[in-house]
Amino acid sequence: MKEPSVTRWLTPALKNLSPEERAELKAQGGENPFYLAELYHQNSKLRPDLFNLHTVYSKPDFRGEGRQYQQVPEFSDLPPLEVPLGTALRTRRSSWEFGEAMSQEQLWMLLKYAVGTTKTTLDDQDDTQVMSRVRFRSYPSGGALYPIQFYMYLNRVEGVPAGLYRYCPYHNHLFQIAEGEHFLDSVNRVVPATDPDKNPLWSREDFSQAAAFLFLAADFRHQADKYRLLGYRLTMFETGHAAQNLCLVSTALGLSVVTLGGFYEDRANELFGLDGVDRSVIYILPIGKKSEGS
């Protein structure tokens, strides 16, 4: 298949075409830069001959993922979220207003309520006759396989050294990968708007005062045995589910949060030692506390 030229699409895009003009351009039958996405969409549709009823619930392996830093408190040890869901939905806004440090309790509540385990059951593994412990969370996941992993740079959390971490909902542990405030410079270089060497066309933003940066990364192998190509779609859906939970819980805790989908993936993956193929960062959420009076 001939690789299309995107020049004729990129140039008009800079002129902010109206939806009508964009539809007319596509209707002309010219080359479509989205042909790979359309090809994938067609070939990733669920078909009866590809569905595998047997599911293996594998226990996450954290060898080489850092040392166990702290057990995250259980729900019984945390206060309830006092803000009603309707209020959180109405007041959620993307915001770059960061100013103060986050408390440990706010971090634990954010992780536990947004992406932590909420129910544990035993599952009979079909022909293996093995009982496996299945841990469910507050957001949906295809086959309850949970391919999204939660990496963090903790920048200003009271009582927690600055550095790279990973939260494992399965074990409810926070793992420390590396300690150091110098990682903030690497985090800045991941996002075009905060990159010191940024393209001048990008607007300048500052999240140096954010308390925590959550990097939602996908292990694309996690659902492949059951869903084949459909697994990629399901992984992207799940990223959005988890991110919305993080946004709503942040809002309920009085924290600012902004979601970043446009970033330099290779730099983000390098920060956490991900290969960018089997495992890759999908979404970034800087989260923090507004300054008093802002």
Side-chain angles (χ1 to χ4, degrees), residues 8-294:
R8 63 189 293 272
W9 283 79
L10 293 179
T11 303
L14 296 177
K15 300 177 182 178
N16 296 318
L17 291 181
S18 68
E20 293 77 14
E21 291 171 323
R22 193 173 297 277
E24 181 180 354
L25 181 62
K26 189 171 183 179
Q28 293 174 3
E31 297 168 328
N32 183 356
F34 304 109
Y35 81 105
L36 285 178
E38 293 172 353
L39 183 66
Y40 166 75
H41 186 84
Q42 179 64 25
N43 285 276
S44 64
K45 292 179 180 177
L46 187 64
R47 303 202 309 267
D49 59 318
L50 292 181
F51 189 71
N52 183 359
L53 291 175
H54 177 66
T55 303
V56 177
Y57 297 96
S58 58
K59 185 177 181 179
D61 185 355
F62 286 90
R63 287 173 296 183
E65 290 282 340
R67 67 178 183 87
Q68 180 179 328
Y69 176 74
Q70 188 162 339
Q71 175 85 26
V72 174
E74 298 295 340
F75 285 113
S76 58
D77 299 318
L78 292 171
L81 290 174
E82 297 182 352
V83 174
L85 176 60
T87 301
L89 287 167
R90 289 196 307 271
T91 57
R92 187 222 65 82
R93 295 292 182 273
S94 296
S95 173
W96 290 81
E97 295 182 39
F98 307 115
E100 297 186 9
M102 179 192 299
S103 69
Q104 274 195 50
E105 184 176 84
Q106 286 176 316
L107 176 63
W108 305 148
M109 292 178 71
L110 175 66
L111 296 176
K112 191 65 177 177
Y113 278 98
V115 299
T117 297
T118 56
K119 180 181 179 181
T120 302
T121 64
L122 291 176
D123 181 75
D124 188 349
Q125 291 290 290
D126 303 320
D127 59 326
T128 65
Q129 299 299 310
V130 174
M131 298 300 291
S132 177
R133 193 172 296 278
V134 184
R135 291 170 168 85
F136 296 98
R137 304 176 192 174
S138 58
Y139 60 89
S141 175
L145 293 173
Y146 300 108
I148 302 304
Q149 300 164 346
F150 302 96
Y151 291 89
M152 291 175 281
Y153 171 64
L154 298 183
N155 183 42
R156 304 180 69 207
V157 178
E158 295 172 354
V160 181
L164 304 179
Y165 294 81
R166 178 176 172 180
Y167 172 56
C168 174
Y170 188 95
H171 295 293
N172 198 36
H173 287 165
L174 185 67
F175 292 83
Q176 186 183 65
I177 299 172
E179 185 175 332
E181 298 180 358
H182 62 282
F183 288 110
L184 179 60
D185 180 66
S186 298
V187 172
N188 278 326
R189 294 180 183 277
V190 166
V191 179
T194 59
D195 183 6
D197 304 317
K198 77 177 186 70
N199 185 315
L201 294 177
W202 285 97
S203 61
R204 170 65 68 183
E205 300 288 356
D206 179 21
F207 53 33
S208 60
Q209 298 303 304
F213 300 80
L214 271 75
F215 293 75
L216 277 58
D219 187 335
F220 295 111
R221 305 162 298 182
H222 221 61
Q223 294 173 316
D225 63 330
K226 180 172 183 178
Y227 295 109
R228 304 297 192 268
L229 288 175
L230 180 64
Y232 186 83
R233 289 201 213 186
L234 298 179
T235 298
M236 295 302 170
F237 295 159
E238 184 174 328
T239 306
H241 298 325
Q244 179 71 335
N245 272 14
L246 288 163
C247 288
L248 292 176
V249 175
S250 293
T251 301
L253 292 172
L255 303 173
S256 295
V257 57
V258 62
T259 57
L260 303 175
F263 56 89
Y264 303 128
E265 290 185 37
D266 289 343
R267 296 182 183 181
N269 290 327
E270 182 180 0
L271 187 61
F272 294 99
L274 307 180
D275 62 15
V277 179
D278 291 330
R279 301 170 69 202
S280 183
V281 174
I282 303 298
Y283 220 0
I284 303 176
L285 286 79
I287 301 174
K289 192 175 179 181
K290 296 180 182 179
S291 298
E292 291 293 336
S294 63

